[in-house]
Amino acid sequence: MKKLFIVPLLLSFSALSACSSVQVTDAAEGSEGGACYPNGTCDTGLVCFSSICVRPAGDAGVDGGGGTGGGGGTGGTGGACSADFGLEPEFFAQCAAEACCPALESCAADETCSGCLTLTTVECETDLLFAPLIECLSTECPTSFCGTGVGFFTGSDPIACNKCIDTECCVSVVDCLGGEGEPDFAACTSCIDDPGGAECQSASEATRSAAADFVTCKDTSCAAACAE
């Protein structure tokens, strides 16, 4: 049976790219560290992330047209990172390498950004390399859904499952966790994973009902995405 996990987004790098750091300056539009052009592009060899032109580590797979808004190097096997960044679990690492490679390599090559991956501070939220990386990972490779910190880690495609639930089943999972009140992760996840178990039976009727609604939603609206 597919089980829920409480999964805050934690990234650990076992190896960092040995490329030079990206320096963000008051550079000219289209140049490294400068604002992207109005059409979302940058000068040759650069890509546009969060409206800033940055250089992927080693310029892997980037040519003059690579910054045109997501075509070059942000998806598919052609844009996958070649380096092993030590991300876990494996399904997350594979997705990150395929969907977020330019942002991942640029962050890994920068001392400040790579530091944010091991110790996130308030300043990291506005870091010009870290922010687009987290945005990409949260959108393309979610390990949780509906902003709850709860998600599936098992099954044939956990990321597709989490994406589908985030689109289709948020009302029931938020209700299961207690709505606007303090979330009760233990009661909710136990009722989703094992509705007949003792822990679920001791939960409130509202939690049990919302958990049942969530399972129904997952098994109908997300049956293909959440297949075992």
Side-chain angles (χ1 to χ4, degrees):
M1 174 182 290
K2 186 185 292 292
K3 288 187 176 292
L4 279 173
F5 292 86
I6 300 173
V7 284
L9 180 60
L10 296 176
L11 306 179
S12 62
F13 276 40
S14 62
L16 297 181
S17 176
C19 301
S20 61
S21 297
V22 176
Q23 300 298 321
V24 180
T25 64
D26 293 328
E29 186 178 65
S31 65
E32 186 171 359
C36 302
Y37 291 120
N39 65 355
T41 65
C42 298
D43 292 342
T44 299
L46 305 177
V47 292
C48 182
F49 282 109
S50 194
S51 300
I52 299 296
C53 292
V54 297
R55 185 182 304 279
D59 285 340
V62 178
D63 56 26
T68 58
T74 57
T77 56
C81 293
S82 58
D84 179 7
F85 295 104
L87 301 180
E88 295 180 351
E90 178 60 31
F91 74 83
F92 176 72
Q94 180 178 350
C95 178
E98 293 178 355
C100 304
C101 185
L104 184 60
E105 288 189 326
S106 293
C107 184
D110 181 81
E111 182 178 359
T112 300
C113 185
S114 60
C116 287
L117 293 169
T118 56
L119 181 61
T120 304
T121 64
V122 174
E123 289 74 17
C124 292
E125 296 179 6
T126 56
D127 184 85
L128 294 176
L129 296 177
F130 185 71
L133 171 59
I134 295 305
E135 180 180 358
C136 181
L137 293 175
S138 299
T139 302
E140 301 297 333
C141 308
T143 53
S144 62
F145 43 73
C146 308
T148 63
V150 174
F152 287 111
F153 262 34
T154 60
S156 59
D157 191 344
I159 287 172
C161 182
N162 290 330
K163 282 184 176 181
C164 182
I165 290 172
D166 195 69
T167 301
E168 303 291 340
C169 306
C170 281
V171 172
S172 56
V173 75
V174 170
D175 286 346
C176 178
L177 287 168
E180 298 300 322
E182 186 71 19
D184 189 341
F185 292 103
C188 178
T189 56
S190 64
C191 286
I192 291 173
D193 291 336
D194 185 17
E199 189 169 2
C200 178
Q201 293 306 305
S202 65
S204 68
E205 174 59 33
T207 296
R208 295 198 301 272
S209 177
D213 290 344
F214 171 78
V215 172
T216 298
C217 180
K218 176 180 73 71
D219 291 345
T220 53
S221 299
C222 299
C226 296
E228 294 292 342

